[in-house]
Amino acid sequence: MAEGPPRGRTPSPGPGGAPGPPSPRAAGAAAGSAGALSSPAAAASKWVRLNVGGTYFVSTRQTLCREPKSFLCRLCCQDGPELGSDKDETGAYLIDRDPTYFGPILNYLRHGKLIINKELAEEGVLEEAEFYNIASLVRLVKERIRDNENRTSQGPVKHVYRVLQCQEEELTQMVSTMSDGWKFEQLISIGSSYNYGNEDQAEFLCVVSRELNNSTNGIVKEPSEKAKILQERGSRM
C-alpha cells in the first residue's frame, strides 16, 4: 500500500525545481506582518506637527480641518495641501505667528469653546482668528469684546441694602416672596421675644439687597406690592 508524504514536511518542489505554493499558515503570517508594518505609518498620517513661531504644537488632521476654509485646513488637508509651506528639519509646518495666541485658536478647533487666559488680550486672539480665517471664532471673539465694552461703559454696579426684622414663622414666607431684584444676603439671629400665651418666638434680622439702578432705557419701574412690603418693613427698623 502506497504511503503519503510524512506529516510536517515541506512539500517537494514542483516541476523544474520551482517552489510549490505557500501553506495557508505561512500566507497568513506574511499578511499579518505586512499589516503591522503599515499601521504605524497610517496612524502617523493622522497627526500633524506645527512649528508656530518656534513653539511646537501637535494635533490631528481632523481637528485642523474642522473649518474647511481656514488657513490650517488648506495647509494640511489630507486630499493635498492647497497652500505651500516650508517645513523644518523635524517635518513640522513653519508658521510665522505668535505661539502665545495660537493656543486658544487650537483649543477652539478641538472643542468649539472660546477659553482665553486672563493674561491674554482678546484683541490678540481676534487678530489670530482673522489670520487663520476661522469665521465662527471671529464672530465669537467680537461678541465677547462688545459685551465687555458695554459692561465697562455702564460703570460699577451699586446696591441698596435693607435690614428686615421678622419672626421665625415669617422667615420662610418672606424669603420665598422676594422679587423685583431683591436678593437674600445674610440672616442674623437676635434671640427670642416673649409672646403671651405661646412659646417664645425666635427673631431674626434678614439682610437683603438690590441693584440701585432700577431703570431700563430711561423708564423708571414702579416697585411691586411685594417690594413695597419689604420697604415698609425696612422703614420700621
Side-chain angles (χ1 to χ4, degrees):
M1 183 174 63
E3 295 182 358
R7 294 182 180 179
R9 292 188 178 180
T10 305
S12 59
S23 64
R25 181 179 299 177
S33 58
L37 292 175
S38 61
S39 57
S45 65
K46 297 180 181 179
W47 292 91
V48 178
R49 187 177 175 90
L50 304 173
N51 183 343
V52 182
T55 301
Y56 287 98
F57 295 86
V58 179
S59 183
T60 63
R61 200 176 302 273
Q62 180 181 3
T63 296
L64 298 176
C65 295
R66 186 150 296 171
E67 290 280 341
K69 296 182 180 180
S70 69
F71 169 89
L72 295 172
C73 181
R74 297 175 61 192
L75 179 68
C76 57
C77 58
Q78 194 166 8
D79 296 335
E82 299 179 12
L83 297 177
S85 176
D86 294 333
K87 295 183 179 181
D88 63 10
E89 63 277 3
T90 67
Y93 289 97
L94 288 167
I95 302 177
D96 186 20
R97 302 296 294 183
D98 188 348
T100 305
Y101 287 94
F102 185 72
I105 302 294
L106 184 57
N107 285 332
Y108 175 79
L109 294 176
R110 285 169 173 161
H111 47 59
K113 296 180 180 179
L114 175 59
I115 301 176
I116 304 176
N117 295 334
K118 294 181 179 180
E119 61 270 14
L120 296 182
E122 293 170 340
E123 289 77 8
V125 178
L126 176 61
E127 186 71 22
E128 297 304 299
E130 291 177 341
F131 171 80
Y132 292 108
N133 194 29
I134 305 176
S136 58
L137 181 57
V138 170
R139 291 192 298 267
L140 192 59
V141 179
K142 285 184 176 180
E143 289 176 2
R144 180 172 293 190
I145 293 175
R146 191 182 309 113
D147 292 342
N148 290 339
E149 291 176 349
N150 293 337
R151 193 179 300 111
T152 304
S153 62
Q154 292 175 357
V157 179
K158 298 181 180 180
H159 292 81
V160 58
Y161 292 86
R162 292 192 180 277
V163 181
L164 312 175
Q165 183 176 356
C166 61
Q167 295 181 346
E168 184 176 3
E169 61 183 9
E170 302 172 332
L171 182 61
T172 303
Q173 180 181 4
M174 185 188 68
V175 174
S176 62
T177 56
M178 284 194 303
S179 61
D180 292 317
W182 288 100
K183 297 180 180 179
F184 173 79
E185 295 288 346
Q186 188 177 5
L187 184 66
I188 304 172
S189 175
I190 58 174
S192 61
S193 62
Y194 180 77
N195 192 354
Y196 181 77
N198 296 318
E199 297 181 355
D200 291 349
Q201 293 285 334
E203 290 193 352
F204 299 91
L205 294 179
C206 183
V207 183
V208 296
S209 68
R210 185 181 65 177
E211 289 187 10
L212 184 60
N213 186 10
N214 190 27
S215 62
T216 304
N217 296 329
I219 302 176
V220 179
K221 297 180 180 179
E222 292 294 332
S224 66
E225 293 299 325
K226 294 178 182 179
K228 290 179 181 178
I229 293 175
L230 290 176
Q231 293 175 2
E232 292 174 1
R233 287 185 178 181
S235 63
R236 298 198 202 106
M237 294 296 297

